[in-house]
Amino acid sequence: MAVITTKAIVLSSLKYGDTSLIVKCFTLQEGVKSYMIKGVLKSKKGKLKPAHFQPLTQLNLTANHSNKSSLHSIKEVQVIHPYETIHTSVVKQTIVLFLSEVLSYILQEEEENNSLYSYIETSLIWLDTHGEVANFHILFLLNLSRYLGFYPDTTNIDRLAFNLLEGRFTNTEYEKLTLSGKEIMLFKSLLGINFDAINSISYSKKERQIILRIIVQYYELHLEGFREPKSLDVLETVFN
């Protein structure tokens, strides 16, 4: 048993019994860890509150990490970046639920990954502090692929098509799993930009739907076991 103090981002929380939660976190020091939070739904006097474990909340936690169990325990917790707008905006809440589901699928490793942690952390702060966020989740996922090892190869970006399976541009437009025409124009508009340039892109509702589906398919092709998030339909409903 080791006592660890680390920053952590909540990926998911699942009710266990009537009074407890099982919380999955992406920690800065030790990657993905799961915690049993006993009695948190019953006790009003305890240090740990259900509100601490909302999706993608950023925490500083002190925890007991066991070598013998996959479920650990939290001793103390504090919210590092209290969100000002995420919990009051339906759009932002829906984006957060969608991304927390995606990240729960993707992040499985019990190992440190500082650059990935920093990317998620700073992206969420950007989401909380900006108003125009309709394309945020699309760019978040595309740029996240850089940290996962399959960001599109932009070497031949002037070519007519993009092969989703190979992750590169090509002149062969009619292969299976290839983007061309309007789809490739939408795709190219996201490449190489950061969140501060996101408002230079104006997608229609239909275009936003198309590009998001393309990126979800790209993830399905490059990440074993990745499947279309259940919250995707909810997200599209909110943006419609």
Side-chain angles (χ1 to χ4, degrees), residues 156-162 169-173 178-181 184-185 188:
N156 298 299
I157 197 169
D158 294 331
R159 290 184 175 175
L160 298 173
F162 180 79
F169 288 91
T170 171
N171 281 324
T172 312
E173 292 183 62
T178 295
L179 305 178
S180 59
I184 198 169
M185 295 299 291
K188 281 183 179 180

Side-chain angles (χ1 to χ4, degrees), residues 23-47:
V23 177
K24 183 178 175 184
C25 292
F26 180 41
T27 72
L28 177 61
Q29 289 191 22
E30 299 198 356
V32 175
K33 293 287 183 185
S34 292
Y35 301 95
M36 172 68 81
I37 320 288
K38 291 182 179 176
V40 68
L41 301 177
K42 179 182 67 174
S43 171
K44 294 181 179 177
K45 296 179 181 177
K47 294 179 184 176

Side-chain angles (χ1 to χ4, degrees), residues 149-167:
F150 56 92
Y151 189 79
D153 179 354
T154 57
T155 307
N156 298 299
I157 197 169
D158 294 331
R159 290 184 175 175
L160 298 173
F162 180 79
N163 186 302
L164 287 166
L165 189 58
E166 295 177 5

